[in-house]
Amino acid sequence: TAWQEVLENSLYSMGDLIGLIPEDKCDICVLEEPEHLNWYRAPGENWTSKFKHVVGIVHTNYFVYATEQPAAFIRAPGMRLLAAWMCRAHCHRLIKLSGTLRQLAPEKELVENVHGVRRTFLDVGEDLRTKLTSSSSTGGSKSDPVFGADADPAVYFIGKMLWSKGIGSLIDLVKYAEDSAGLKVKVDMYGGGPNQDEASAKAAKMGLDMPFHGPIDHALLGGTHKVFINPSLSEVLCTTVAEALAMGKFVVLPSHPSNDFFAQFPNCLPYANEEEFVGNLYYALTHEPEPMSEEYSYTLSWEAATERFAAAGSVSVAEAEAMEEALASTEVGIDVRMPMKSLFLLMACPLFFFP
């Protein structure tokens, strides 16, 4: 059974999932979002007792979402504690997709991107590489009408229309580029969400050319746009960035731990402030993206992601012995830090929070 929390727009498992698994199929288990799966788990056997090896993959920064909900000063640190508790209790190895996430179980965790993109995006990138390299090798003077250095600006954003996804920041950055550098560009907005109408109204009020088109399959934009802007700071690892890079596009994004994996790609243009955003956007508009090499294309594939997962999910004998020794220590514990505001309120109003 499952329970839907309307406020959080989430589904929570309420039954005993472990009890449904046959005893003869209990070697290795991979838990996608182990904290989410176990917040409301039924009493019973533990995952690490049932299986010989349990790997948890953490996708979501629930602490950030909790800060946007009612009573955030209590909910957010409570969410962090509960997430750490669930990950530590139910996993032998914990993989965080990026360094955005804070420590959950330091003795078990590491950072590795174990996600890839579907073959469709890689095929688009390979087709573009063939087109761009063949054009340069023949010495043709006519550049590509979409990806060429002198092509008309083709810029877009794709994602959920939520303020937490950075669409407000995107609007402000585009306005800054126009006011500070005279860089007036049209930005096509793709996706749906509860803040779409508000964002559209804000862009129109600021006189920006940012039409909102609704949801679309990202692969359909493979040959229509050269530059993807993703200003989000709430992601753990942004799938659309990987897809855009795989298709050979320029990607302009903030310098942030969630984007560290993508910084290795030549078409990734990270910015640390508004001025760098303007410079990177101008560069992307006036240059041709570097064709995706076979090596970079493979790095974004699910084959490469699976290899990274196999390496990251393993626990060496030495590490297992050190873990066993640490857990047997009488000094083992968990360090929980709460924001000073939350701590003050808990001390000042104990009867309110703990009747």
Side-chain angles (χ1 to χ4, degrees):
T1 60
W3 167 59
Q4 181 180 16
E5 169 56 65
V6 178
L7 177 63
E8 299 174 355
N9 194 28
S10 296
L11 287 173
Y12 296 105
S13 171
M14 302 296 291
D16 183 10
L17 294 178
I18 301 176
L20 299 175
I21 302 173
E23 292 293 337
D24 59 343
K25 297 181 179 180
C26 299
D27 289 326
I28 298 175
C29 178
V30 179
L31 299 180
E32 298 275 351
E33 301 205 3
E35 71 279 54
H36 194 145
L37 281 173
N38 291 291
W39 278 334
Y40 295 97
R41 68 182 298 271
E45 192 174 9
N46 196 309
W47 290 100
T48 53
S49 300
K50 180 90 170 185
F51 289 86
K52 298 176 182 178
H53 188 57
V54 181
V55 180
I57 304 177
V58 186
H59 298 255
T60 306
N61 196 341
Y62 289 106
F63 176 79
V64 170
Y65 292 122
T67 60
E68 302 170 353
Q69 296 174 356
F73 59 91
I74 292 297
R75 184 186 290 264
M79 183 75 75
R80 179 185 296 168
L81 173 60
L82 189 58
W85 184 13
M86 294 299 100
C87 290
R88 176 177 275 106
H90 296 290
C91 302
H92 293 109
R93 168 67 82 200
L94 192 65
I95 300 176
K96 302 189 298 186
L97 295 187
S98 77
T100 303
L101 293 164
R102 301 195 181 189
Q103 285 189 342
L104 295 169
E107 73 282 4
K108 301 180 178 183
E109 69 184 39
L110 51 75
V111 176
E112 184 63 86
N113 174 20
V114 295
H115 275 197
V117 301
R118 72 178 196 254
R119 187 70 230 178
T120 304
F121 298 106
L122 299 174
D123 290 340
V124 172
E126 291 175 3
D127 291 343
L128 178 61
R129 178 179 67 215
T130 301
K131 182 165 59 172
L132 295 179
T133 54
S134 62
S135 175
S136 61
S137 63
T138 57
S141 58
K142 187 176 181 181
S143 64
D144 187 270
V146 176
F147 294 91
D150 56 355
D152 291 334
V155 184
Y156 74 105
F157 166 85
I158 186 169
K160 293 181 181 179
M161 293 300 161
L162 297 169
W163 294 124
S164 60
K165 296 297 183 181
I167 55 177
S169 174
L170 174 58
I171 294 171
D172 293 336
L173 288 168
V174 173
K175 181 62 175 176
Y176 181 83
E178 180 179 321
D179 293 342
S180 64
L183 199 58
K184 187 175 179 63
V185 296
K186 173 185 176 183
V187 180
D188 290 307
M189 305 288 287
Y190 296 96
N195 300 130
Q196 178 174 331
D197 293 339
E198 298 172 72
S200 179
K202 178 179 179 178
K205 185 177 180 180
M206 298 173 70
L208 300 176
D209 189 4
M210 299 179 71
F212 287 70
H213 303 287
I216 190 174
D217 185 345
H218 197 182
L220 297 178
L221 304 178
T224 61
H225 295 76
K226 181 172 74 167
V227 184
F228 171 48
I229 304 176
N230 179 53
S232 177
L233 297 175
S234 64
E235 308 286 350
V236 173
L237 189 85
C238 188
T239 305
T240 53
V241 169
E243 293 169 351
L245 289 171
M247 292 190 287
K249 302 179 185 294
F250 280 120
V251 178
V252 181
L253 41 65
S255 181
H256 187 260
S258 62
N259 297 320
D260 285 348
F261 177 83
F262 303 123
Q264 64 182 298
F265 296 91
N267 293 328
C268 178
L269 304 175
Y271 61 87
N273 51 49
E274 294 174 323
E275 289 74 20
E276 289 186 8
F277 169 80
V278 175
N280 288 348
L281 179 58
Y282 180 77
Y283 178 89
L285 294 175
T286 56
H287 289 76
E288 184 178 278
E290 183 174 325
M292 280 285 287
S293 67
E294 293 184 6
E295 178 184 358
Y296 281 128
S297 181
Y298 181 76
T299 300
L300 292 171
S301 69
W302 274 109
E303 290 80 4
T306 302
E307 292 175 358
R308 294 193 295 269
F309 170 73
S314 303
V315 176
S316 66
V317 173
E319 187 177 358
E321 292 176 348
M323 175 70 67
E324 185 176 353
E325 181 180 349
L327 292 176
S329 172
T330 57
E331 299 178 358
V332 68
I334 177 173
D335 183 19
V336 179
R337 293 181 174 87
M338 297 180 67
M340 288 304 297
K341 180 179 179 182
S342 301
L343 188 60
F344 172 78
L345 288 170
L346 283 171
M347 295 175 64
C349 308
L351 294 179
F352 178 77
F353 294 108
F354 305 103

